[in-house]
Amino acid sequence: SSDVCSSDLDNRSHQAGGPQAKQVRDVVVPEGITVAELANRMAERAADLVKALFKMGMMVTVNQTIDQDTAELLVTEFGHNVQRVSESDIDLAVDTAEDPADALKPRPPVVTIMGHVDHGKTSLLDALREARVAEGEAGGITQHIGAYQVEQAGRLITFIDTPGHAAFTAMRARGARVTDIAIIVVAADDGVMPQTIESIQHARAAQVPFIIAINKIDRANARPDRVRQMLADNGVLVAGWGGEVETVEVSALQKLGLDDLLEMILLVTDVTEPVADPDAPASGTIIEARVDRSRGAVSTVLVANGTLRAGDWVLVDKTGGRVRAMTDYRGNRLKEAPPSTPVEITGLDDVPSAGDRFVVMPDEASMRAVIKERKDAETEQKDKRLSLDEILAGISLGEVKELNVILKADVQGSVEAIRGALEKLGASVQGTTLRVLYDAVGAPTDTDVNLAVASKAIIVAFNVRTPANVVTFADSQGVEIRNYQIIYNLLDELETALRGLIEPTFREVVYGHAEVRAVFRSGRGEAIVGTMVRDGIIRRGANARVLRAGEVVYTTRIGSLRRFKDDVREVASGYECGLGLENVPDPRVGDIVEIFGRERV
Ligand code: GDP
């Protein structure tokens, strides 16, 4: 995409904003968008998008609609920032865009359960499944296919059956955005623990709203309010405690509070309103996959957009095939799987990886063509990876400041999650490159140390013990082995290291947007407006600008921030709040308040 960027330099340089010539754009991505419109928002050429889509295995014309996940992939691929839209924007989309919004229908929310080990994630998933899943053909025995659905008040909710943020982030690292809502389980007798915080970080990083399930309230030493206090101490303000994060008290063991939890999920769903186009060709994510001796590759897929049908040609990464049988979590045979439905399918040539995205192709020939192109590209990539000399040459030239990493971790889930997070970290610190040269499951070895020497890398060990002889060898070779137990700490330290490679500069960051829904007071002094937070977070005291029809009309500060009658410090996406804006004489309904700040780069 680098040639794309340079050829569009002239186009972009007149755009107001950052100091660099290359303009990185914040691109608003609704749940469905035509290629032409997306190109327009990115200030890229539609033809380049079509080309990139082809490489991703999708054959579309400029006037066709693509789903949000795909659009987001494109936006990042071209080096821009994604901005998600929430319900209010979808209304806007109806006004401005022609057809795509019409096709979008509500779909069940997809929920992931995260939290500290032993706090009851698995028990909660089991309790919901046992209590709420209707019987299927397999005689009431639910099948563990990686996801299931429950019904509440006549509405469906999809649960991902693999708990934990490692799995969640590994999927995200592969480009999949599966989850609409996260449930963070906290044991009422144990409270907030490191992985609780990590889970919250992951949910926030993914901009996924979350609900706290305070579990094990049946225990004599359960202290739910202590959990709320501990959350507050960690910067998570819950409803009733001056914040917005909802909590629900449950007991997975005694099946208490399950209805409340499901009701809360539906309430959050009513705010975020997930939608999809059931008439589109299906696309979605692989949740699980394995080889079955008699059935071949068996994969559980979650349909994100469109409707998957038996007989469809499905492309996944560098494999594909024709969907033979489709079965749901109750063992029922299905002919069709609409959006948010998890189904187990057979018929793929090979076993894909969890988190891979799938798309339905028009026919076998086009599917095979893309697979071939991807395999060729991979061979090229491999040749490149072999030439460590090139990497060394890059360092000595001194143009690119690099941090090379060899990653060793306890399980594949951690490896994938950390690698994904590191790649993102590398991309976020401008002027440097962070390369994960190698990653694998297991403790660091002498071979790893040798590789580190050859490529001037550091070794990052996560949740593994480095044998004493390897430590000695590494010392003698001047290789650094850094050990971590918490992903967050690992990322934090590497970020510091990376920032240490460059001179400090500052860049602007946008924290969030709120749309003005009502003007209560204007004129001189502080204007008071009622807003809906569309994305990110609104903070009292933050810098802000008022956008009208995309133009900055005022630069101001959030003088006061209120939710109902209460003064609050911050308000998150999806909530209404009152803002006091300094020196904005005439705010109008429909204005967008953009909250920004400066961050050390
Ligand atoms: P995970 O590691 O988060 O998946 O936790 P598990 O679901 O494996 O639960 C850990 C332990 O807590 C198990 O021994 C469960 O029986 C127990 N447990 C889970 N939920 C409850 C609950 O609501 N009440 C009580 N008393 N024990 C629970």
Side-chain angles (χ1 to χ4, degrees):
S1 67
S2 61
D3 55 339
V4 176
C5 293
S6 53
S7 68
D8 275 10
L9 268 184
D10 293 344
N11 260 338
R12 289 171 179 191
S13 51
H14 73 273
Q15 299 286 342
Q20 311 93 345
K22 184 189 172 238
Q23 174 77 40
V24 175
R25 298 181 147 262
D26 287 334
V27 181
V28 174
V29 180
E31 297 224 8
I33 186 168
T34 64
V35 176
E37 172 60 20
L38 183 65
N40 189 25
R41 291 186 188 188
M42 291 164 60
E44 303 282 359
R45 290 186 350 204
D48 291 328
L49 268 65
V50 170
K51 218 187 290 169
L53 282 166
F54 180 81
K55 286 198 179 133
M56 289 157 59
M58 295 180 71
M59 259 168 270
V60 292
T61 64
V62 291
N63 293 320
Q64 260 173 304
T65 302
I66 54 175
D67 68 348
Q68 194 167 33
D69 281 341
T70 311
E72 289 187 7
L73 271 181
L74 274 183
V75 172
T76 20
E77 180 111 2
F78 281 81
H80 300 291
N81 297 324
V82 173
Q83 278 201 331
R84 279 233 135 181
V85 271
S86 54
E87 43 137 18
S88 49
D89 306 298
I90 288 161
D91 296 340
L92 283 181
V94 176
D95 295 339
T96 51
E98 325 77 56
D99 59 307
D102 289 348
L104 298 175
K105 304 276 184 298
R107 61 170 175 81
V110 179
V111 180
T112 299
I113 298 193
M114 309 199 269
H116 198 72
V117 64
D118 277 346
H119 280 195
K121 299 179 291 294
T122 313
S123 306
L124 190 57
L125 278 164
D126 289 347
L128 289 165
R129 184 194 292 108
E130 273 169 44
R132 307 307 299 255
V133 167
E135 279 190 14
E137 283 165 5
I141 306 161
T142 55
Q143 319 282 304
H144 282 261
I145 66 167
Y148 64 86
Q149 290 185 303
V150 305
E151 213 182 288
Q152 174 77 3
R155 296 163 68 181
L156 287 171
I157 301 171
T158 304
F159 283 90
I160 302 290
D161 217 351
T162 318
H165 57 270
F168 169 82
T169 299
M171 289 230 212
R172 285 187 58 221
R174 301 186 83 92
R177 189 190 279 267
V178 182
T179 306
D180 298 305
I181 299 170
I183 306 294
I184 313 277
V185 179
V186 189
D189 57 346
D190 199 20
V192 171
M193 301 298 277
Q195 286 165 32
T196 314
I197 300 297
E198 239 178 71
S199 300
I200 291 170
Q201 299 275 5
H202 283 238
R204 281 190 170 155
Q207 296 184 359
V208 169
F210 59 90
I211 298 167
I212 306 281
I214 303 180
N215 189 32
K216 308 196 188 183
I217 52 153
D218 58 292
R219 289 227 165 133
N221 54 347
R223 288 165 65 199
D225 274 345
R226 182 169 158 266
V227 172
R228 295 188 176 93
Q229 181 60 53
M230 289 176 88
L231 287 166
D233 294 345
N234 283 283
V236 181
L237 299 183
V238 303
W241 288 57
E244 311 294 338
V245 176
E246 300 290 351
T247 60
V248 182
E249 296 182 13
V250 298
S251 163
L253 201 68
Q254 303 197 350
K255 300 197 168 59
L256 301 174
L258 301 186
D259 273 337
D260 297 341
L261 181 60
L262 295 174
E263 279 303 326
M264 189 57 77
I265 291 171
L266 291 180
L267 279 177
V268 175
T269 305
D270 288 339
V271 176
T272 55
E273 282 189 330
V275 290
D277 174 5
D279 297 325
S283 60
T285 305
I286 307 292
I287 301 293
E288 259 181 36
R290 65 197 159 85
V291 196
D292 181 286
R293 260 205 288 162
S294 55
R295 296 192 292 161
V298 179
S299 323
T300 297
V301 305
L302 180 64
V303 179
N305 195 46
T307 297
L308 183 65
R309 295 185 173 80
D312 278 347
W313 286 102
V314 169
L315 169 77
V316 192
D317 191 24
K318 287 178 280 294
T319 186
R322 186 168 212 174
V323 177
R324 279 203 305 256
M326 287 207 298
T327 330
D328 73 3
Y329 47 95
R330 294 169 298 180
N332 295 333
R333 279 293 185 109
L334 298 186
K335 286 213 179 66
E336 293 191 339
S340 294
T341 312
V343 279
E344 196 175 75
I345 62 166
T346 57
L348 297 187
D349 297 342
D350 249 316
V351 184
S353 305
D356 279 347
R357 297 194 14 91
F358 77 84
V359 284
V360 165
M361 299 294 285
D363 51 47
E364 178 169 17
S366 55
M367 183 194 81
R368 301 265 171 237
V370 177
I371 291 174
K372 183 173 180 306
E373 178 163 327
R374 287 180 177 178
K375 284 188 170 159
D376 292 349
E378 184 192 41
T379 317
E380 244 172 64
Q381 197 67 37
K382 274 218 180 93
D383 292 345
K384 256 190 218 150
R385 207 179 288 166
L386 284 177
S387 88
L388 284 174
D389 286 349
E390 260 179 33
I391 298 171
L392 287 171
I395 298 171
S396 57
L397 278 177
E399 283 167 359
V400 189
K401 314 267 181 149
E402 303 197 320
L403 184 60
N404 289 337
V405 172
I406 292 167
L407 171 65
K408 301 300 295 272
D410 52 347
V411 290
Q412 190 58 30
S414 314
V415 170
E416 283 173 16
I418 295 170
R419 188 190 48 214
L422 286 178
E423 279 162 2
K424 253 179 117 176
L425 177 63
S428 73
V429 182
Q430 277 179 19
T432 65
T433 306
L434 193 159
R435 274 210 184 90
V436 179
L437 291 181
Y438 174 69
D439 60 52
V441 172
T445 62
D446 286 354
T447 317
D448 296 332
V449 174
N450 283 328
L451 177 60
V453 174
S455 53
K456 296 201 171 101
I458 62 165
I459 297 177
V460 169
F462 179 77
N463 258 343
V464 287
R465 227 190 109 260
T466 309
N469 61 313
V470 177
V471 174
T472 315
F473 182 51
D475 281 348
S476 72
Q477 300 295 309
V479 167
E480 199 177 351
I481 300 181
R482 288 167 177 250
N483 296 287
Y484 301 94
Q485 270 78 45
I486 296 174
I487 295 187
Y488 176 71
N489 289 349
L490 183 160
L491 294 177
D492 205 37
E493 277 200 39
L494 286 196
E495 181 168 1
T496 309
L498 208 53
R499 291 192 189 289
L501 294 175
I502 48 171
E503 309 287 84
T505 47
F506 292 87
R507 73 155 175 213
E508 185 187 285
V509 279
V510 171
Y511 296 122
H513 296 90
E515 183 186 339
V516 176
R517 293 271 173 93
V519 175
F520 298 121
R521 196 172 78 207
S522 59
R524 272 196 285 151
E526 196 181 59
I528 305 290
V529 296
T531 67
M532 175 69 164
V533 183
R534 296 182 3 174
D535 58 72
I537 210 154
I538 308 301
R539 287 210 182 91
R540 193 172 62 215
N543 294 321
R545 49 175 86 90
V546 178
L547 308 175
R548 190 169 293 162
E551 303 253 358
V552 178
V553 285
Y554 296 105
T555 301
T556 173
R557 211 178 68 93
I558 307 297
S560 62
L561 182 58
R562 286 195 153 199
R563 192 141 158 76
F564 301 110
K565 294 253 168 305
D566 301 321
D567 281 309
V568 291
R569 240 171 15 143
E570 44 182 48
V571 176
S573 147
Y575 293 96
E576 291 184 334
C577 58
L579 301 184
L581 302 175
E582 298 174 356
N583 302 317
V584 178
D586 65 336
R588 291 188 204 157
V589 170
D591 283 355
I592 303 296
V593 182
E594 184 176 70
I595 312 300
F596 69 97
R598 273 178 218 299
E599 201 174 71
R600 200 184 140 117
V601 173

